[in-house]
């Protein structure tokens, strides 16, 4: 399994970005993809996740109403649309995926064996 993350960049406060995570190697849609982020000198935190087979989504409280996760199963790609970005969203964003992720555990990075490379998101004026 390989994950390819893309879409980061520099954006002004209040702006938007869309991150993409392309997954290859899964033989069916029975897996979960999650986005994590890590800011300098901070611990990694889960941002959002989606259960690909049925589209169940998960969000951490700080991004609810601003971020939307979605999937294009035909392209094996998960998107994270990020709106109303603020400086607190500045971080390296990683996508992760695996099978058998319980809904109560989607936010725990330890359960994901597959990770993409990070993509930098910088929110600054």
């Amino acid at each position: 399994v390989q994950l390819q993350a893309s879409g980061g960049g520099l954006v002004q406060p209040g702006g938007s970005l869309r991150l993409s995570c392309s997954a290859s190697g899964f033989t069916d849609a029975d897996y979960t993809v999650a986005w994590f982020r890590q800011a300098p000198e901070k611990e990694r935190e889960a941002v959002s996740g989606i259960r690909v087979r049925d589209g169940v989504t998960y969000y951490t409280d700080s991004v609810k109403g601003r971020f939307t996760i979605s999937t294009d199963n035909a392209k094996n790609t998960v998107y994270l649309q990020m709106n109303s970005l603020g400086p607190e969203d500045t971080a390296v964003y990683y996508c992760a995926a695996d099978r058998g992720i319980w809904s109560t555990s989607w936010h725990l990075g330890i359960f994901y064996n597959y990770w993409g490379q990070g993509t930098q998101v910088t929110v600054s004026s």
Side-chain angles (χ1 to χ4, degrees):
V1 172
Q2 291 188 330
L3 303 177
Q4 180 73 34
S6 62
L10 172 65
V11 63
Q12 293 187 341
S16 299
L17 280 175
R18 188 177 78 160
L19 304 184
S20 300
C21 177
S22 296
S24 61
F26 287 107
T27 56
D28 57 38
D30 191 14
Y31 59 97
T32 296
V33 176
W35 286 96
F36 292 80
R37 65 185 179 187
Q38 187 163 21
E41 301 182 357
K42 291 189 176 181
E43 292 189 356
R44 183 180 65 194
E45 65 169 342
V47 176
S48 182
I50 187 166
R51 199 164 62 192
V52 174
R53 62 176 169 84
D54 58 10
V56 172
T57 58
Y58 314 102
Y59 297 96
T60 194
D61 285 347
S62 62
V63 307
K64 285 179 181 177
R66 300 190 299 124
F67 291 11
T68 302
I69 193 168
S70 61
T71 180
D72 183 337
N73 288 0
K75 297 182 179 179
N76 295 323
T77 300
V78 169
Y79 303 100
L80 184 67
Q81 177 67 42
M82 306 186 296
N83 299 329
S84 302
L85 286 163
E88 69 277 10
D89 297 310
T90 295
V92 178
Y93 284 70
Y94 301 88
C95 62
D98 215 327
R99 299 180 177 279
I101 303 295
W102 289 29
S103 59
T104 53
S105 303
W106 76 269
H107 61 292
L108 299 175
I110 192 173
F111 289 114
Y112 294 85
N113 285 304
Y114 308 107
W115 291 79
Q117 87 288 2
T119 185
Q120 177 71 47
V121 172
T122 302
V123 185
S124 175
S125 56

